[in-house]
Amino acid sequence: MSTVPNDNKVILITGASSGIGEATARRLVNQGHRVLLGARRVDRLQALAEELQGTGGQIAYRALDVTDAADFQAFAAHAIATFGPVDVLVNNAGVMPLSPLSAGRLDEWDHMIDVNIRGVLHGIAAVLPAMEARGQGHIINVASIGAHVVVPTGAVYCATKYAVWAITDGLRQESSAVRATTISPGVVDTELADHIRDADAREAMASFRRIALRADAIAGAIAYAIAQPREVDVNEVIVRPSAGTGA
Ligand code: NDP
């Protein structure tokens, strides 16, 4: 395992049970950071933590539902108790049940708003006061290319990602102590599209995902932002597949 001398950070990652979150955890633990994994599927977190502990990694996990503000507070407290003050929060958890507005899937709209927007805000609320008090910290929010471009069936999902973009830029402007980064991936090969119930959206997404990036490509962008010197704030990284023209 390689280490990062004098730059061993305490990093929280939400949505670490699969996809981009899992790949980010692997990369950051292998770089020598101390990482707390959060998601609802604890069995997945446990398997990942045990695997990386086996290679000498400093990694822990805790069940987390980002839609529950109190649970997120407890998650941050668990990181402090386990590793010390939080240096970086990676707000990565997200859901994408695409459908046209005419389908009227109110439950899915609410769920996207709860996870993708409220979840990010719950994370900020859980770590920002302590970061401000310490005069340092880094909050990284995973948005999407959908924070820049709206597509049919993606109205609500893209709206949540526009919101993530706006929240992160607002944080950047309000806080000189805390670095704020938006990571905006194009299409990535993960489990994200597995939960689309609308048949047309599901079919469109299947062909769209043929050029998908590996999740580690996004982990690399997150690691890059974290690795910059304290006075350097990488505000946004957009990462698309070379082969794509749009998202
Ligand atoms: P995955 O579906 O593989 O991962 C999503 C993660 O979010 C899972 O670990 C899931 O864990 C977690 N999650 C979902 N709901 C909750 C919740 N209520 N509380 C805690 N964790 C939750 O997809 P990706 O890795 O692709 O998604 C990661 C992020 O990347 C998302 O924000 C997504 O919008 C964004 N993104 C992805 C793109 C892609 O093409 N894949 C493109 C652009 C952006 P669990 O179910 O165990 O709780």
Side-chain angles (χ1 to χ4, degrees):
M1 189 184 76
S2 64
T3 56
V4 183
N6 303 320
D7 197 22
N8 173 310
K9 291 184 170 146
V10 174
I11 303 175
L12 275 54
I13 305 176
T14 71
S17 58
S18 60
I20 293 169
E22 178 185 340
T24 302
R26 287 182 188 284
R27 185 178 276 252
L28 295 176
V29 168
N30 286 335
Q31 288 181 338
H33 297 293
R34 288 163 287 163
V35 173
L36 178 64
L37 311 171
R40 294 164 306 169
R41 289 171 296 176
V42 179
D43 54 334
R44 296 255 200 132
L45 301 181
Q46 181 180 2
L48 179 60
E50 287 176 358
E51 178 196 326
L52 294 174
Q53 282 162 356
T55 63
Q58 297 187 78
I59 181 167
Y61 66 93
R62 183 191 178 281
L64 170 67
D65 184 342
V66 299
T67 67
D68 180 340
D71 196 34
F72 218 134
Q73 295 282 345
F75 181 67
H78 186 76
I80 294 167
T82 307
F83 292 130
V86 176
D87 296 302
V88 184
L89 166 64
V90 182
N91 264 324
N92 164 74
V95 292
M96 188 189 69
L98 300 178
S99 64
L101 290 169
S102 59
R105 294 178 179 271
L106 275 80
D107 56 336
E108 294 187 346
W109 302 346
D110 285 343
H111 188 53
M112 281 189 276
I113 291 165
D114 284 345
V115 176
N116 299 1
I117 303 178
R118 291 202 173 90
V120 165
L121 291 170
H122 293 160
I124 291 171
V127 302
L128 185 59
M131 288 181 174
E132 293 275 10
R134 286 176 75 213
Q136 66 181 82
H138 192 174
I139 296 177
I140 299 175
N141 296 328
V142 178
S144 169
I145 196 64
H148 297 273
V149 183
V150 181
V151 294
T153 74
V156 178
Y157 177 74
C158 295
T160 66
K161 295 304 188 176
Y162 270 66
V164 172
W165 193 99
I167 291 163
T168 318
D169 201 55
L171 174 64
R172 175 188 68 78
Q173 295 180 46
E174 288 177 9
S175 177
S176 54
V178 175
R179 299 194 289 171
T181 301
T182 303
I183 302 290
S184 292
V187 62
V188 183
D189 185 16
T190 68
E191 299 174 16
L192 192 67
D194 295 357
H195 309 289
I196 299 174
R197 287 192 287 155
D198 183 84
D200 292 341
R202 204 176 162 83
E203 192 182 332
M205 190 48 55
S207 69
F208 178 64
R209 296 181 84 77
R210 282 195 196 109
I211 56 163
L213 289 169
R214 287 180 303 107
D216 186 58
I218 312 307
I222 293 170
Y224 166 79
I226 291 171
Q228 298 311 300
R230 201 166 133 183
E231 70 276 13
V232 177
D233 187 2
V234 177
N235 298 140
E236 182 171 15
V237 184
I238 300 177
V239 186
R240 291 187 179 93
S242 309
T245 54

